[in-house]
Amino acid sequence: MKHVLPLGDGNFRPSPPLTSNSRGTQVHGPALRSSSVLRTLDPAKLTPKDHITSAKSPSCLKSFEICVQRVDDGYPSVSILHNPPRGDSGGNLAGFLYYYQPPHAPPLAGELRFRITASVDPASFPSGVDHTIQQGVPWSIPLRTIAGKPNFTPIRYLLTDVDATVPHLVMDLAREYQCIGGGQASRCLYAFGQPFHLPLTSHAPAFVFFGKDRVARPSLKTVTGFYTGNRVSSGPHYPFSGSIICCFEPSSLEEHSGRRVAVIRVLRTLAHDPVRPNPRYTGPPIPPGLCPREGELLTRLYRRKVKVWAADVDAAPTSRNAQAAALSILFDNALEYGSPCGFAA
């Protein structure tokens, strides 16, 4: 049986020989014929036979999807369907599907990625680039999705029995967390300094934090908004529209000395969705320093003062910081696995 697997959201859609998407629109055979039977997902073991060239995806589907079919010997036959975004003149994509275990990360943070290469020769893999989603972060399918969905059976076979890159115990643990969603794939995090996408008008963006033996899914309320306490206009207020790429980092501010406090660094803005005044904003005048700026810490308005957004992970939970304790996973991972941004307790 064939399945269309949308890249990034983890859902699966069983289909008849003419594969259907979630709306029932059929994907005809020619789009699925450029498949490859994969014998490994380990970059060190790739052969030219593991190379995949995408077929054009019907416009009814997402811009980038994969189809997986189990062949008789248990290995996966994989097709890539690609429909470039409007205005993108790029052609077919070609490269290798592979399993990525990030450095400074727990085993649960493993994921599938697609590496675009210049040739079918595996020697071109190191110089290739991973396919990215619109927000500029790598496309991925997380291990918990691979572990929990029946249509990933041949992918699991490669990871646990052929490549032995994922122990069965880790796969079993990942399966326990299969139902945990995370909104956008870019907000599945395991380390300080890891970039994520943040819309400036999102009331409670959802995150997934991967720890050594646990997963947490907090929704951090009013990260970019604030309340005024005015009964007429109770809020929350969001003074800016657009979206930004950020990362969490341990606070080095003197006021947080000796405590485990996480702050958010603005890494960059996005050309297709720039920071701009929110036309629906009806709050008080916007004070200087509230607008997100590249390279600076994210701020918010609290009791009419501009303050750095901060989460004390060990503070007694309140209605405002009830979800902040989940950020303790990032501090724990920094001690357990090291930290890419040089944090040390």
Side-chain angles (χ1 to χ4, degrees):
M1 180 180 291
K2 292 178 181 177
H3 303 269
V4 175
L5 307 180
L7 302 188
D9 63 11
N11 297 319
F12 71 98
R13 301 188 284 271
S15 60
L18 290 178
T19 307
S20 303
N21 72 352
S22 59
R23 296 185 298 273
T25 305
Q26 292 181 334
V27 182
H28 294 273
L32 305 178
R33 289 173 186 165
S34 58
S35 62
S36 298
V37 177
L38 304 186
R39 299 291 171 174
T40 183
L41 293 168
D42 184 344
K45 301 176 183 178
L46 293 171
T47 73
K49 292 183 179 180
D50 297 304
H51 194 262
I52 307 173
T53 299
S54 70
K56 182 172 176 55
S57 171
S59 58
C60 60
L61 297 180
K62 294 186 177 182
S63 62
F64 196 65
E65 307 193 49
I66 65 174
C67 301
V68 175
Q69 181 181 12
R70 183 177 180 177
V71 295
D72 292 339
D73 57 2
Y75 287 88
S77 175
V78 177
S79 302
I80 299 289
L81 303 180
H82 179 229
N83 185 24
R86 183 175 299 179
D88 186 344
S89 59
N92 291 341
L93 302 179
F96 296 93
L97 193 68
Y98 76 103
Y99 187 72
Y100 176 68
Q101 176 59 44
H104 310 291
L108 288 174
E111 58 192 26
L112 279 183
R113 291 188 177 188
F114 184 69
R115 175 66 60 91
I116 301 171
T117 61
S119 75
V120 300
D121 187 350
S124 65
F125 184 91
S127 60
V129 294
D130 288 341
H131 178 69
T132 60
I133 60 178
Q134 189 179 27
Q135 289 77 23
V137 296
W139 162 82
S140 66
I141 296 178
L143 181 61
R144 72 182 191 282
T145 299
I146 299 169
K149 301 299 183 181
N151 45 309
F152 279 101
T153 297
I155 298 294
R156 291 195 296 273
Y157 172 66
L158 283 185
L159 295 176
T160 57
D161 298 300
V162 178
D163 295 335
T165 51
V166 179
H168 283 277
L169 287 176
V170 173
M171 190 67 76
D172 291 341
L173 181 59
R175 186 176 295 112
E176 294 181 20
Y177 295 105
Q178 63 174 296
C179 61
I180 294 182
Q184 295 197 12
S186 68
R187 290 199 292 271
C188 296
L189 308 176
Y190 50 83
F192 289 119
Q194 186 181 357
F196 63 87
H197 176 243
L198 182 64
L200 295 178
T201 55
S202 178
H203 174 62
F207 292 82
V208 173
F209 295 125
F210 297 98
K212 181 179 181 179
D213 54 9
R214 65 188 178 112
V215 176
R217 185 187 183 275
S219 295
L220 303 181
K221 294 183 179 180
T222 59
V223 174
T224 59
F226 60 88
Y227 292 90
T228 63
N230 188 328
R231 293 184 180 179
V232 177
S233 180
S234 59
H237 296 286
Y238 297 93
F240 301 102
S241 297
S243 56
I244 51 180
I245 300 297
C246 308
C247 71
F248 289 106
E249 61 181 50
S251 176
S252 59
L253 298 176
E254 184 177 354
E255 62 191 272
H256 300 145
S257 178
R259 293 183 288 151
R260 296 198 302 173
V261 178
V263 293
I264 296 176
R265 178 79 61 182
V266 180
L267 298 177
R268 63 182 184 273
T269 57
L270 297 174
H272 74 275
D273 191 19
V275 176
R276 57 198 182 275
N278 183 357
R280 298 184 178 181
Y281 177 70
T282 58
I286 301 173
L290 195 60
C291 182
R293 291 180 173 84
E294 291 187 5
E296 297 184 5
L297 296 179
L298 188 69
T299 58
R300 65 189 303 272
L301 198 63
Y302 182 64
R303 293 181 178 177
R304 301 184 180 182
K305 293 183 179 180
V306 176
K307 292 190 174 184
V308 169
W309 184 95
D312 188 333
V313 303
D314 299 315
T318 66
S319 59
R320 195 173 77 87
N321 71 355
Q323 301 277 359
L327 283 156
S328 64
I329 288 179
L330 301 186
F331 287 91
D332 295 341
N333 286 350
L335 294 177
E336 180 75 23
Y337 303 103
S339 174
C341 67
F343 167 71

